[in-house]
């Protein structure tokens, strides 16, 4: 106690809680004996991996005095959270929470096909999806391989963002890779139901915000049929290490299998577009969406139209003929290179329906569907992976209307 005022201290102690505005009225506290100008108290019974705020207080006849609020984060203790407990996928959503996590790295995507003999694991890149400066390990840290499981932790001060993690063989070649999407987001509680019953996410894959017009709502671009995300070129979001994403690698003969060891490379001139089974009505091992979700089918967008309001940063589509809109970022497109087309005027989205006009193209007041080369980079809006009928047909009719 640095100063007691005009009257003696009658009570002093420590206050703690999980809110930053802690007082005697809204938080836990413990009074202590004041035998000198200093006092202390050991707090027990705290939750693990939790941020707590703490301050001292003292009372006299004039009232209550509080110290500056400090905070600390308790240690994580216990088993790692198993992200693949309910099933494997190529993308795992992780709530920004200081803890240890793990997932099954022995199989490819949602399949049972083994990835091969794992010798090591590496974080290929990480990004906060904005321009904030970060260091390696600020998004995802302590990445290790334990048998066929990848283990990692989030820092004590978690930063929302994304990371690409790969397992390698003894020669250092990538066997398979996974997208770790670190975001305070529950897609089930924030799902959007279209007027035809299809359920979609409220944001693009990889976005850490759904706020219309926000940079953090842009998400990633994908090449059709590939599972790995790529930051949009020209936005220049912070990526560490900074040299880990490669654009404009011309190789017209590249196959989808030969892209697996290079999940951080955007291929220009790729011609695997004749394989229409890489994504589909039934979720495949190359599907980039989290468990329970898949790349949207083209037919679910039938009848969608632009809302009347126009904004240069995002589009709003009206799925219900009501006041409920689905927001899509004006993110432009890549054509396999590091140049971004239409970043101020149009939006693009892949669907899983290859060979039947796979791209949704939003421009001005129009919505089109096109079939474009697979090396183009567009966003993805995942849809709920509902059960399919016994003959494998989807629940939504694929329309032959190419302009809505």
């Amino acid at each position: 106690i640095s100063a007691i005022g005009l009257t003696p201290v009658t009570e002093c102690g420590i206050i703690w809680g999980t809110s930053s505005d802690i007082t005697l009225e809204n938080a836990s506290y413990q009074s202590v004996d004041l035998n000198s100008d200093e006092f202390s108290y050991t707090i027990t019974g705290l939750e693990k991996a939790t941020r707590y705020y703490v301050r001292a207080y003292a009372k006299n006849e004039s009232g209550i005095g509080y110290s500056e609020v400090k905070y600390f984060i308790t240690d994580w203790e216990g088993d790692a959270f198993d992200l693949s407990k309910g099933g494997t996928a190529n993308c795992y959503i992780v709530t920004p929470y200081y803890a240890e996590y793990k997932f099954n790295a022995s199989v490819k995507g949602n399949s049972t096909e083994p990835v091969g003999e794992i010798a090591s694991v590496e974080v290929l890149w990480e990004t906060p999806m904005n321009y904030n400066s970060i260091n390696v390990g600020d998004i995802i840290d302590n990445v290790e391989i334990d048998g066929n499981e990848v283990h990692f932790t989030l820092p004590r001060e978690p930063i929302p963002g994304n990371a690409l993690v790969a397992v390698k063989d003894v020669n250092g070649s990538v066997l398979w890779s996974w997208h770790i999407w670190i975001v305070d987001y529950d897609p089930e509680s924030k799902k959007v139901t279209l007027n035809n019953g299809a359920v979609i996410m409220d944001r693009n894959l990889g976005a850490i915000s759904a706020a219309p017009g926000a940079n953090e709502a842009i998400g990633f671009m994908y090449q059709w049929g590939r599972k790995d995300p790529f930051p949009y070129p020209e936005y220049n979001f912070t990526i560490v290490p900074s040299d880990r994403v490669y654009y404009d690698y011309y190789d017209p003969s590249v196959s989808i299998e030969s892209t697996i060891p290079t999940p951080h490379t955007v291929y220009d001139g790729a011609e695997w577009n004749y394989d229409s089974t890489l994504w589909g009505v039934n979720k495949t091992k190359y599907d980039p969406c989290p468990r329970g979700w898949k790349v949207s089918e083209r037919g679910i967008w039938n009848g969608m139209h632009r809302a009347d309001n126009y904004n240069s940063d995002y589009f709003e589509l009206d799925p219900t003929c009501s006041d409920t809109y689905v927001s899509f970022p004006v993110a432009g497109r890549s054509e396999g290179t590091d140049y971004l087309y239409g970043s101020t005027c149009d939006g693009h989205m892949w669907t899983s329906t290859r060979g039947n006009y796979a791209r949704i193209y939003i421009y001005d007041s129009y919505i089109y569907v096109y079939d474009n080369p697979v090396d183009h980079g567009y966003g993805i809006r995942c849809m709920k992976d509902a059960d399919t009928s016994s003959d494998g047909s989807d629940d939504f009719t694929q329309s032959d209307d190419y302009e809505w």
Side-chain angles (χ1 to χ4, degrees):
I1 298 178
S2 58
I4 62 173
L6 299 176
T7 58
V9 172
T10 58
E11 182 184 329
C12 62
I14 302 292
I15 309 171
W16 68 93
T18 56
S19 175
S20 61
D21 60 345
I22 52 175
T23 67
L24 285 171
E25 286 72 33
N26 64 12
S28 301
Y29 70 93
Q30 177 63 51
S31 60
V32 298
D33 293 332
L34 181 63
N35 298 318
S36 66
D37 290 341
E38 297 182 0
F39 60 91
S40 64
Y41 176 71
T42 301
I43 304 172
T44 60
L46 301 179
E47 296 291 330
K48 61 185 179 182
T50 301
R51 180 195 291 260
Y52 282 95
Y53 296 87
V54 63
R55 72 194 312 185
Y57 76 93
K59 292 182 180 180
N60 65 11
E61 291 182 359
S62 300
I64 304 173
Y66 293 104
S67 72
E68 180 184 358
V69 175
K70 303 287 188 179
Y71 74 86
F72 61 91
I73 299 173
T74 53
D75 288 335
W76 166 255
E77 298 176 356
D79 296 333
F81 288 114
D82 189 353
L83 301 174
S84 56
K85 182 178 181 180
T88 57
N90 289 316
C91 173
Y92 293 105
I93 298 177
V94 181
T95 302
Y97 178 80
Y98 165 58
E100 182 182 357
Y101 303 86
K102 67 179 182 180
F103 62 87
N104 178 5
S106 67
V107 295
K108 299 179 178 181
N110 65 329
S111 75
T112 58
E113 182 181 343
V115 301
E117 191 70 26
I118 300 172
S120 62
V121 63
E122 181 182 0
V123 179
L124 299 181
W125 53 257
E126 49 191 305
T127 175
M129 302 299 289
N130 54 39
Y131 306 107
N132 296 339
S133 177
I134 62 168
N135 297 312
V136 172
D138 283 353
I139 301 293
I140 182 173
D141 202 9
N142 300 314
V143 182
E144 299 177 346
I145 193 72
D146 183 5
N148 287 323
E149 293 179 338
V150 169
H151 287 244
F152 65 89
T153 64
L154 298 190
R156 284 181 175 268
E157 300 280 1
I159 299 174
N162 292 268
L164 189 64
V165 176
V167 293
K168 298 183 174 183
D169 63 17
V170 292
N171 297 316
S173 296
V174 171
L175 296 170
W176 202 257
S177 50
W178 292 265
H179 169 204
I180 308 300
W181 187 5
I182 302 164
V183 59
D184 187 10
Y185 170 52
D186 174 18
E188 183 64 32
S189 65
K190 296 183 179 180
K191 63 189 179 184
V192 177
T193 302
L194 305 183
N195 59 347
N196 55 18
V199 176
I200 62 172
M201 289 186 175
D202 73 342
R203 65 195 66 194
N204 279 10
L205 187 52
I208 61 174
S209 170
N215 282 335
E216 291 83 356
I218 291 173
F220 288 112
M221 72 175 198
Y222 292 78
Q223 294 188 293
W224 195 91
R226 296 185 70 182
K227 61 184 175 59
D228 295 301
F230 297 96
Y232 277 93
E234 295 192 17
Y235 283 101
N236 297 320
F237 290 158
T238 302
I239 302 172
V240 293
S242 59
D243 60 349
R244 285 297 184 86
V245 180
Y246 308 104
Y247 299 91
D248 202 10
Y249 189 90
Y250 183 76
D251 186 355
S253 65
V254 67
S255 66
I256 194 69
E257 291 79 11
S258 61
T259 68
I260 300 305
T262 55
H264 42 26
T265 300
V266 178
Y267 286 93
D268 181 18
E271 295 182 354
W272 63 78
N273 54 320
Y274 296 106
D275 186 351
S276 62
T277 65
L278 299 177
W279 295 342
V281 171
N282 296 319
K283 184 165 180 167
T284 72
K285 67 180 180 182
Y286 294 112
D287 191 292
C289 295
R291 181 177 59 85
W293 300 82
K294 64 180 183 179
V295 179
S296 65
E297 303 161 28
R298 191 187 66 79
I300 73 171
W301 303 105
N302 291 347
M304 190 76 78
H305 60 275
R306 276 288 309 278
D308 292 335
N309 50 320
Y310 174 77
N311 187 291
S312 61
D313 295 321
Y314 62 94
F315 296 104
E316 287 188 337
L317 307 186
D318 184 357
T320 59
C321 297
S322 67
D323 294 331
T324 301
Y325 298 110
V326 182
S327 176
F328 290 89
V330 175
R333 72 189 188 279
S334 164
E335 296 187 0
T337 70
D338 58 357
Y339 182 78
L340 201 60
Y341 297 86
S343 60
T344 61
C345 60
D346 56 30
H348 304 262
M349 178 178 60
W350 280 125
T351 71
S352 64
T353 316
R354 189 67 191 158
N356 191 14
Y357 290 74
R359 174 177 62 127
I360 305 298
Y361 171 36
I362 311 168
Y363 177 75
D364 193 23
S365 60
Y366 300 98
I367 304 173
Y368 306 91
V369 286
Y370 287 105
D371 210 20
N372 280 80
V374 295
D375 63 352
H376 285 199
Y378 308 140
I380 286 178
R381 185 64 59 96
C382 300
M383 68 175 288
K384 192 73 173 174
D385 186 14
D387 291 336
T388 56
S389 59
S390 59
D391 63 357
S393 63
D394 59 1
D395 297 328
F396 308 102
T397 302
Q398 300 290 352
S399 170
D400 291 329
D401 295 333
Y402 301 148
E403 179 177 334
W404 303 327

